[in-house]
Every structure is written in structure tokens, then in C-alpha cells.
Amino acid sequence: MAPVDEDLITTLIVRLDLERKVRLLTGADFWSTPAEPSVGLRRMVLSDGPSGVRGESFDERTPSLSLPSSTALGATWDPAAARRYGSALGAEARRRGADVVLGPTINLHRSPFGGRHFESLSEDPLLTGELAAAYVAGLQSRGVAATPKHYVANDAETERFTVDNRVDERTLHELYLAAFEPVVTRAGAWALMSAYNAVNGPTMSENPLLAEPLTGEWGFDGLVVSDWGAVRTTEASANAEQHLVMPGPVGAWGGRLVAAVRDGRVAEATVDDKVRRLLRLAARVGALDGVGAPPVAAPAAEDGPTVARELAAAGSVLVRNTGELPWDAATLGTVAVLGHNAELARTQGGGSATVRPAAVVSPLEGLRAVLGGDRVRYRLGAQVAEGVQPFDPGRITNPVTGGPGLRAVFRDADGAELRAEDRLGASLIWMGSEIPEGADHVEISLRWDAPAGEHRIGAAAVGHLTLDAGGTTVLDTEGVLTGDEGPGAAIFEAPSVTAGVTTDGPVDLVLRFRPSGQEAGMALVAVTVGTETAVADPDAEITAAAALAGESDVAVVVVGTNDRIESEGFDRSTLALPGHQDALVRAVAAANPRTVVVVNSGSPVLLPWRDEVAAVLLGWFGGERFGEAVADVLLGAAEPGGRLPTTWPATGEERSVLSGVPADGVLRYDEGVHVGHRNWLRHGETPAYPFGHGLGYTTWTLDDATTGPWSPDGVEVTVTLTNTGTRTGRQVVQAYLSRRGSDVERPARWLAGWAVVDAAPGTTTVTVPVSRRAFRHRAGATWATEPGTWTLHLGFSVTDTPLQADVEVAAQG
Ligand code: BGC
């Protein structure tokens, strides 16, 4: 894109007095920056991110595309897929009026216990950086700013606002900063988010790492946006390369920064530089008069749901297959589909990444759509989701309009109606100005088309709730937090209250909800109304599921996590699947040897039965078209294209599995550069599935590695790849480096390059680029290369490297 007219920006800054300049540096509200008409600046809207563009509200009436979780994108290993992902989000952002997307999340999978693991790409800095750079380029090609986050070392959630991560310089540069470097130096991100945590002392919104390497060595000319509520000081943060405080309108700068400038504690030139960056961002996204609309790549012809479906398949990883898959839809017999997540799939992660998609396809629906209802029979098998889940939108009717959905009415303390909304979904969140002034409670009415039988119905919310069912009050109680939850708990960890009802047809429901702790006026109303699954006899449920599997030709068990164990705001305490899912898989596998397991989690879980089943497919949080992608892959319409972006542990107790739990407020990254597969190799431990592993539906061999001459970029390795099977497939040829007899402490081997190849049966020549950086280590303030003989290991995972090639490095390069 054309460079921004810096002279114009200079003249605009001169026109603003100090108060006006400072006002621009704090959000106008939760999701936007202030307008300044005197210089032709309109407000800019920032939106989460990173796997959809939510916009300024959680309102399902303006739905958002929900792409597969970042872990699925990481598993594609494919920069072209990442570019497509970013580009689809850019189109979404423009459709939704967002100028800045708060993504990609590019913290590393340092520990599989990280609760927000699903939101970032990989344990490896090179893989993360390459994919993130492509995502940023795709997004910004639409004239929308990317905001890679959270700079830096925000790799766990425990004590996330205060933890001090102690990371040595070399490790910071070679891993955690390395993931951010290409999004700045190569993709030219227009914004970047500083993290909540501290690194080596100072909290990140006032940390010297914002200056070096970010705005110094890397030359970042964009805007450093704070994480929400992360700026807690005036002077220290203003004197750092922290440029915008979010959210607003109240923040730590406000009038205090004006005084700090007047007292000489902060230079006015420092404020001017922040304003310059803000105006530069505005010019780039088309929010500044007089600089013209940004040139934007033509919108792709493809639609978002297609991108979601194809990328979910491309990111799914087939980690085991005894020859069972793919199934042939034409000849396949009856299919038992089992597991709570088969019907109630997790298609996105919890927390700020959450968006409201128009529709979601579950694996059960995806398989039924292709195979027909007669061949596909379903049984829950084991409960996974906990607490109240929103009513299925297809089964609720608005009693006022008679159309689908429900009516929500804000009332004052006397019961007078202040505002009514006709909503489509039963999970409702209003914030700030979305709530009418004087509101005392919200009343939600709907007719639930209940299946005949016994149910638990109610709400998840913090505050006072009454629920009338068919004219009878069945609940009059308080939803209360325990106090151990993190901020945002009223939205994402709300307690559930339910009552038992027996239905024999549709039932009219009225829920009245008054949020607690908001006597001074409502700032947040978050309530989900629906049903809670309760399995009376888990053993009997498993027996029934196994019986169904036994009567069917094949069985699919969809296992997974729930939002109580895998979400933003907390880490996991165990990697085990929740509930009775392990027992379910074992019982089903015993009843039917043709059992395939689909894993629906955002990050690694333990699969202790993995060698007892015919196939295991990791589907991650697969986005809104997850179920279609699962059907595509199981039935061979699409290749399971993914490779593990992160090591999957066998027990979670291995030494190689790092802890993210601080001691006395400090988390030491004592493992240094040995993170992920590097650590597994160092300890000589065998995980369940290694980094880079993944099977397709064909077979491959690799021969004849030759290293080409050095170029300014690095060195190329050429290999002969043969698809020895009968169908076209996808392979990821991976190159790892090692160095024997080094003077420097090094990982056993580390990822140095890769190539994604789609190839028909036969032989192809594949070139794997290996950059000079792969040979470098950080030595103090510079990068150094050790001369001598290096070894490249080529293959299909970090531990499956049938080919080797030596590379000579003559001198510092
Ligand atoms: C998260 C960010 C997010 C922001 C706004 C924070 O709590 O850490 O990733 O972008 O909220 O929702």
C-alpha cells in the first residue's frame, strides 16, 4: 500500500492542542477510538479476533463468520491457508464496520495446560511467525489493520494480569519475540497489542521491550494498543512505547497525562509520536479525511462459510489410521454417532475470541446430511457440556411475533417497559450503552418446543432470577460466583441455576433477571437461558452407547472439552477429557472394532485408549462448518491436511510438559530455548504424537536430499517426494536443523523450514527453503552464526526424518 503522507499528519498534529491530543490516546468506549472532526478523523472500531470479527456487540442478529480455532490454522502449516484466513476476516471486518481486528494471537504453546492455547498457533516460533505473517498480510490486504497479540510471553492465563515471566534474553529473542518479528518486519502489521503480564520486571504496557526490539530494531511504525485494562500507570506507560489505552472512556492517562506533560514528566513530543501513530493507522484504514480511501484487494469470490469448511478439513490431523478411513459413503452401512460433542460441538474457544455465528453444523448434522438419517443413529454416551446451554434456536418461538427466537424486555423498577428486543438466540449479553438508562431487570419470554420428557431448565447468570414455566414459578433464586473466577466471569463462567420440569409439548417460559452488583446502574447484563444435561446413570448411558455401536457397522465417537475447562481466563489443571469419555471410548471400541474417534478440543488432551481404536482424527474447535468438514474428511471428500503444530503428550506428567503456574507471582522460563518438541527430544521422552505428525489417505517416500547454493535469504534443500499410493494427497516436508559439537547450547534439533505439497501419485521434486535465521543464535544484542558443518534432517515429523544432508556454513552469515 502507498506510504502514508507523513507531512499531512504533521500539519494535523500541529492543529491539535495538548488536551485534544491526549484525548485521542484513550478509547472513546469499549471498542472504539475517539473521533476528532477538526482534523478529519472519524472513530475507529476495534474488534476481537482472532478467529472471527465479533463487531461492537455480542448480538446474534448481526452474525459473524466463525473460522476454525487458531490451532486448526496452525495445523495446516500452510501460509496460503493463513493468508486466506486473514483475508476472509478482513472481508468480515469491512462488512461489520471494524477497522482493526484484534488478532492473530501469537503467543507460544509453551505448556499444553494453557487455557487459551486454542487461540494461538503453535509451540514453534518459526511456524507461528510464518503463519501469522501470512494472516496479517491477508487481513491487511482488505484495508483492515491486524493487531498481533499479546506482546510478549503471554503464554498462560494463571495470574495473567500480574505474573512476572522471567525469560533470559536469548530465549526471548529466539522464541517469544521471534514469533512476532515477521509480522512486523515482513507483514508490516499496522497495530500490535501489549500484554497484561510483566516480563523480567516491568509490566508489558511499560516494558522496554516495546522500544527494543519492537519500535527500534524492527522499525515498527504502527500503534501499540494496550490489552483491555492493562495500562495502570500514567507516566511509566506514557514514557514507554505504549500508544493507545483501551478500553475507554476512563483510563490511566486521561487528564493525568496532560498534567504529566505540563510538569515535564512526559515530553510533549512523546505524546505527538503516539498521535502520529494513531493518525497513521487512521490513514491506513481509511479513517482520515484527505488521504483517500485505502486501496483494497478485490473481495474474494469465495464465501466465508466455504473458507471455514475447507480450512477445518485442511487443519484436521489424522494421527492414527489402521486403514479404516476413509469411508466410502456409497457402500458404508449404519453409523453409530456417539458423544455429547457430536451433537453439541465446540466450534470456537471461550472468552474474548467468542463470536456469534449465524449457524453451526455439528458432526452429527454433517454426517446425517451426507449419509441420511436412517443410516446415522445418535446416542449421548457421556456428558461433557456442564451447566445451562442455550436453547436450540430452532426450538424457540417469540410469543409476541410468533417468529423464531425470544422477546427480551428491559424494565424499570416499577415494571414499566423501557425497551424490547426480538432476539434469535438464548445467550444474551448487553454492555454499557446497549442497556437503557434506568433499567432494573430484563424479562425474557419464549415458547420452548420441548421434547416430551423430563428436563432441567434454567439460566446461567450472576444475579437474581425467577423463571415461570407454563404459568408456574419454578425458580426464584440467585446465581452467585464463588469468587475464585477471573474478570469476565459473569460472562464466561456464570453459575447455572435450574429446575426440573416434565413436558409433553411446547411450554411458555418467562425469565426475569436482575444482575447483581450493579446498583449504580447496569453496565453488563449477561444471561443464558436453556437446558442442562443431566445423565442419571453414566454407566447405563455408556452401556447403551456401546450397544448401539455394536449393532452398527461403524462407530464415530466425538470426544472433547467443555467451556469450563478450556477457555480464556484460566489454565487447565488436567489434560484428561472431562466426564466419562475415556470409559465411553473404551466400551464402544470393545463393542465395535471399526471405531473412529474425532477429538473436539482446542488443544492437547490425553487419549489413553488411542491404540485401541481404528482411527483418531483431531478436529480442534472446527469453526461454524465443523460438522461438514468432519464428514468431508471421514468420507474422503477432503484430505485430512493437518500436521501437529504442537506435541501431544501421552500422560501430561512427562518432564517435557512445562508448568504455567507461577510461584510467588513469578513464572520462570528455566527451560530456556528447549520448548515443545525441543524439550521432548532433550529429555528423550516419547509423546502420544510428535510435533509435525499427521497422516493422509496416501503413502509417501522421500529421497535424494541436495542442498543448493546459498542466497541472501538462505539455502534451499531439494528432495524427491513420491506419492506411493493411489490418490492425490497432501504432505508437509519438514526440515529440522541440528549441530553437533557446538560451542553454544542448542536444542537437539529445531524446525528450520518446510514445504506444503499437494501431489498426485508419482514423483515430484520439492524445494524446502531454509532461512539464514535458522542457523543464527542470539548473542547479546546481535545475531551470530557459528561456522562449520550443520545437519539437516528431512522428513514427515520431528522424529520421522529418513533423510539427512550436511550444510557447510563458511563464516558469519
Ligand atoms: C484479551 C484480549 C482481547 C481483549 C478485548 C482481553 O481480556 O486478553 O485478547 O482482545 O480482552 O476483548
Coordinates of all heavy atoms in Angstrom, one line a residue, residues 584-625:
L584 N -16.3 -44.3 27.9 CA -17.1 -44.4 26.7 C -16.4 -44.9 25.5 O -16.8 -45.9 24.8 CB -17.8 -43.0 26.4 CG -18.5 -43.0 25.1 CD1 -19.8 -43.8 25.1 CD2 -18.9 -41.5 24.7
V585 N -15.2 -44.3 25.2 CA -14.5 -44.8 24.0 C -14.1 -46.2 24.2 O -14.2 -47.0 23.2 CB -13.2 -43.9 23.8 CG1 -12.4 -44.4 22.7 CG2 -13.6 -42.4 23.6
R586 N -13.6 -46.6 25.4 CA -13.2 -48.0 25.6 C -14.3 -49.0 25.3 O -14.2 -50.0 24.7 CB -12.6 -48.2 26.9 CG -11.2 -47.5 27.1 CD -10.4 -48.1 28.2 NE -9.0 -47.9 28.0 CZ -8.2 -47.0 28.7 NH1 -8.7 -46.4 29.7 NH2 -7.0 -46.9 28.4
A587 N -15.5 -48.6 25.9 CA -16.6 -49.5 25.8 C -17.1 -49.6 24.3 O -17.4 -50.7 23.8 CB -17.8 -49.0 26.6
V588 N -17.1 -48.5 23.6 CA -17.5 -48.5 22.2 C -16.5 -49.3 21.3 O -16.9 -50.1 20.5 CB -17.7 -47.1 21.7 CG1 -17.9 -47.0 20.2 CG2 -18.8 -46.4 22.4
A589 N -15.2 -49.1 21.6 CA -14.2 -49.8 20.8 C -14.3 -51.3 21.1 O -14.0 -52.1 20.2 CB -12.8 -49.2 21.2
A590 N -14.6 -51.7 22.3 CA -14.8 -53.1 22.6 C -16.0 -53.7 21.9 O -16.0 -54.8 21.5 CB -14.9 -53.3 24.1
A591 N -17.0 -52.8 21.7 CA -18.2 -53.3 21.0 C -18.1 -53.3 19.5 O -18.8 -54.1 18.8 CB -19.4 -52.5 21.5
N592 N -17.2 -52.5 19.0 CA -17.1 -52.4 17.5 C -15.7 -52.0 17.1 O -15.2 -50.9 17.4 CB -18.1 -51.3 17.0 CG -18.2 -51.4 15.4 OD1 -17.2 -51.7 14.8 ND2 -19.4 -51.1 14.9
P593 N -15.0 -53.0 16.5 CA -13.6 -52.7 16.2 C -13.4 -51.6 15.1 O -12.3 -51.0 15.0 CB -13.0 -54.0 15.6 CG -14.3 -54.8 15.2 CD -15.4 -54.3 16.1
R594 N -14.5 -51.2 14.5 CA -14.4 -50.2 13.4 C -14.8 -48.8 14.1 O -15.7 -48.1 13.6 CB -15.3 -50.5 12.2 CG -14.8 -51.8 11.5 CD -15.6 -52.0 10.3 NE -15.4 -51.0 9.3 CZ -16.1 -50.8 8.2 NH1 -17.2 -51.6 8.0 NH2 -15.8 -49.9 7.3
T595 N -14.2 -48.5 15.2 CA -14.5 -47.3 15.9 C -13.5 -46.2 15.6 O -12.3 -46.4 15.7 CB -14.5 -47.5 17.5 OG1 -15.6 -48.4 17.8 CG2 -14.6 -46.2 18.2
V596 N -14.0 -45.1 15.2 CA -13.2 -43.9 14.9 C -13.5 -42.8 15.9 O -14.7 -42.6 16.2 CB -13.5 -43.4 13.4 CG1 -12.9 -42.0 13.1 CG2 -13.1 -44.4 12.4
V597 N -12.4 -42.2 16.4 CA -12.6 -41.1 17.4 C -12.3 -39.8 16.8 O -11.2 -39.6 16.1 CB -11.8 -41.4 18.7 CG1 -12.0 -40.2 19.6 CG2 -12.2 -42.7 19.3
V598 N -13.2 -38.8 16.9 CA -12.9 -37.5 16.5 C -12.7 -36.7 17.8 O -13.6 -36.7 18.7 CB -14.1 -36.9 15.7 CG1 -13.9 -35.4 15.3 CG2 -14.3 -37.7 14.4
V599 N -11.6 -35.9 17.9 CA -11.3 -35.2 19.1 C -11.7 -33.7 18.8 O -11.1 -33.1 17.9 CB -9.8 -35.3 19.5 CG1 -9.6 -34.6 20.8 CG2 -9.5 -36.8 19.6
N600 N -12.6 -33.2 19.7 CA -13.1 -31.8 19.5 C -12.6 -31.0 20.7 O -13.3 -30.7 21.7 CB -14.6 -31.9 19.5 CG -15.3 -30.5 19.5 OD1 -16.4 -30.4 19.9 ND2 -14.7 -29.6 18.9
S601 N -11.3 -30.6 20.6 CA -10.7 -29.8 21.7 C -9.8 -28.8 21.0 O -9.4 -29.0 19.9 CB -9.8 -30.6 22.6 OG -8.7 -31.1 22.0
G602 N -9.6 -27.7 21.7 CA -8.8 -26.6 21.1 C -7.3 -26.9 21.2 O -6.5 -26.3 20.5
S603 N -6.9 -27.8 22.1 CA -5.5 -28.0 22.4 C -5.4 -29.5 22.9 O -6.4 -30.2 23.0 CB -5.1 -27.0 23.4 OG -6.0 -26.8 24.4
P604 N -4.1 -29.9 23.2 CA -3.9 -31.3 23.5 C -4.8 -31.8 24.7 O -4.9 -31.2 25.7 CB -2.4 -31.4 23.9 CG -1.8 -30.3 23.1 CD -2.9 -29.2 23.2
V605 N -5.3 -33.0 24.5 CA -6.0 -33.8 25.6 C -5.3 -35.2 25.6 O -4.7 -35.6 24.7 CB -7.5 -33.9 25.4 CG1 -8.1 -32.5 25.7 CG2 -7.8 -34.4 24.1
L606 N -5.5 -35.9 26.7 CA -5.0 -37.2 26.8 C -5.9 -38.2 26.2 O -7.1 -38.2 26.3 CB -4.8 -37.6 28.3 CG -3.9 -36.6 29.1 CD1 -3.8 -37.1 30.5 CD2 -2.5 -36.4 28.4
L607 N -5.3 -39.1 25.4 CA -6.1 -40.2 24.7 C -5.6 -41.5 25.1 O -4.9 -42.2 24.3 CB -5.9 -40.0 23.2 CG -6.1 -38.5 22.7 CD1 -5.7 -38.4 21.2 CD2 -7.6 -38.0 22.9
P608 N -5.8 -42.0 26.3 CA -5.2 -43.2 26.9 C -5.6 -44.4 26.1 O -4.9 -45.4 26.1 CB -5.7 -43.3 28.3 CG -6.9 -42.4 28.4 CD -6.7 -41.3 27.3
W609 N -6.7 -44.4 25.3 CA -7.2 -45.6 24.6 C -6.8 -45.5 23.1 O -7.3 -46.2 22.3 CB -8.7 -45.5 24.6 CG -9.2 -44.1 24.7 CD1 -9.7 -43.5 25.8 CD2 -9.3 -43.2 23.7 NE1 -10.0 -42.2 25.5 CE2 -9.7 -42.0 24.2 CE3 -8.9 -43.2 22.3 CZ2 -9.9 -40.8 23.5 CZ3 -9.1 -42.0 21.6 CH2 -9.5 -40.8 22.1
R610 N -5.8 -44.6 22.8 CA -5.6 -44.3 21.4 C -5.2 -45.5 20.5 O -5.4 -45.5 19.3 CB -4.6 -43.1 21.3 CG -3.2 -43.4 21.8 CD -2.3 -42.2 21.9 NE -1.0 -42.5 22.4 CZ -0.8 -42.6 23.7 NH1 -1.8 -42.4 24.6 NH2 0.4 -42.9 24.2
D611 N -4.5 -46.5 21.2 CA -4.1 -47.6 20.4 C -5.2 -48.7 20.3 O -5.0 -49.8 19.7 CB -2.8 -48.2 20.9 CG -1.7 -47.2 20.8 OD1 -1.7 -46.4 19.8 OD2 -0.7 -47.2 21.6
E612 N -6.3 -48.5 20.9 CA -7.4 -49.5 20.9 C -8.5 -49.1 19.9 O -9.5 -49.9 19.8 CB -8.1 -49.5 22.3 CG -7.1 -49.9 23.4 CD -7.7 -49.6 24.8 OE1 -8.9 -49.6 25.0 OE2 -6.8 -49.3 25.7
V613 N -8.4 -48.0 19.2 CA -9.4 -47.7 18.2 C -8.8 -47.7 16.8 O -7.6 -47.7 16.6 CB -10.0 -46.3 18.5 CG1 -10.7 -46.3 19.9 CG2 -8.9 -45.2 18.5
A614 N -9.7 -47.7 15.8 CA -9.2 -47.9 14.4 C -8.6 -46.6 13.9 O -7.7 -46.6 13.0 CB -10.4 -48.3 13.6
A615 N -9.1 -45.4 14.3 CA -8.6 -44.2 13.8 C -8.9 -43.0 14.8 O -9.8 -43.1 15.5 CB -9.2 -43.8 12.4
V616 N -8.0 -42.1 14.8 CA -8.2 -40.9 15.6 C -7.9 -39.6 14.8 O -6.9 -39.5 14.1 CB -7.2 -40.8 16.8 CG1 -7.4 -39.6 17.7 CG2 -7.3 -42.1 17.7
L617 N -9.0 -38.8 14.7 CA -8.9 -37.5 13.9 C -9.0 -36.4 14.9 O -10.0 -36.3 15.6 CB -10.0 -37.5 12.9 CG -10.1 -36.2 12.0 CD1 -9.0 -36.2 11.0 CD2 -11.5 -36.1 11.4
L618 N -8.0 -35.5 14.9 CA -8.1 -34.3 15.7 C -8.8 -33.1 14.9 O -8.3 -32.7 13.9 CB -6.7 -33.8 16.1 CG -5.8 -34.9 16.7 CD1 -4.4 -34.2 17.2 CD2 -6.4 -35.6 17.9
G619 N -9.9 -32.7 15.4 CA -10.7 -31.7 14.6 C -10.6 -30.3 15.2 O -11.1 -29.4 14.6
W620 N -9.9 -30.1 16.4 CA -9.8 -28.8 17.1 C -11.2 -28.3 17.3 O -12.2 -29.0 17.3 CB -8.9 -27.9 16.3 CG -7.7 -28.5 15.8 CD1 -7.4 -28.9 14.5 CD2 -6.5 -28.8 16.5 NE1 -6.1 -29.4 14.4 CE2 -5.6 -29.4 15.6 CE3 -6.1 -28.7 17.9 CZ2 -4.3 -29.8 16.0 CZ3 -4.8 -29.1 18.2 CH2 -4.0 -29.7 17.3
F621 N -11.3 -26.9 17.6 CA -12.5 -26.2 17.6 C -12.7 -25.8 16.1 O -12.1 -24.9 15.6 CB -12.5 -25.0 18.5 CG -12.3 -25.3 19.9 CD1 -11.8 -24.4 20.8 CD2 -12.8 -26.5 20.5 CE1 -11.6 -24.6 22.1 CE2 -12.6 -26.8 21.8 CZ -12.0 -25.8 22.7
G622 N -13.6 -26.5 15.4 CA -13.5 -26.5 13.9 C -14.3 -25.4 13.2 O -14.5 -25.4 12.0
G623 N -14.8 -24.4 14.0 CA -15.5 -23.3 13.3 C -16.9 -23.7 13.0 O -17.4 -24.8 13.2
E624 N -17.6 -22.8 12.3 CA -19.1 -22.9 12.1 C -19.4 -24.1 11.2 O -20.5 -24.6 11.2 CB -19.7 -21.6 11.7 CG -19.2 -21.1 10.3 CD -19.9 -19.8 9.9 OE1 -19.8 -18.9 10.7 OE2 -20.5 -19.8 8.8
R625 N -18.5 -24.5 10.4 CA -18.8 -25.6 9.5 C -18.1 -26.9 9.9 O -17.8 -27.8 9.1 CB -18.4 -25.3 8.0 CG -19.2 -24.1 7.5 CD -20.6 -24.5 7.4 NE -21.5 -23.3 7.4 CZ -22.5 -23.1 6.6 NH1 -22.8 -24.1 5.8 NH2 -23.3 -22.1 6.7

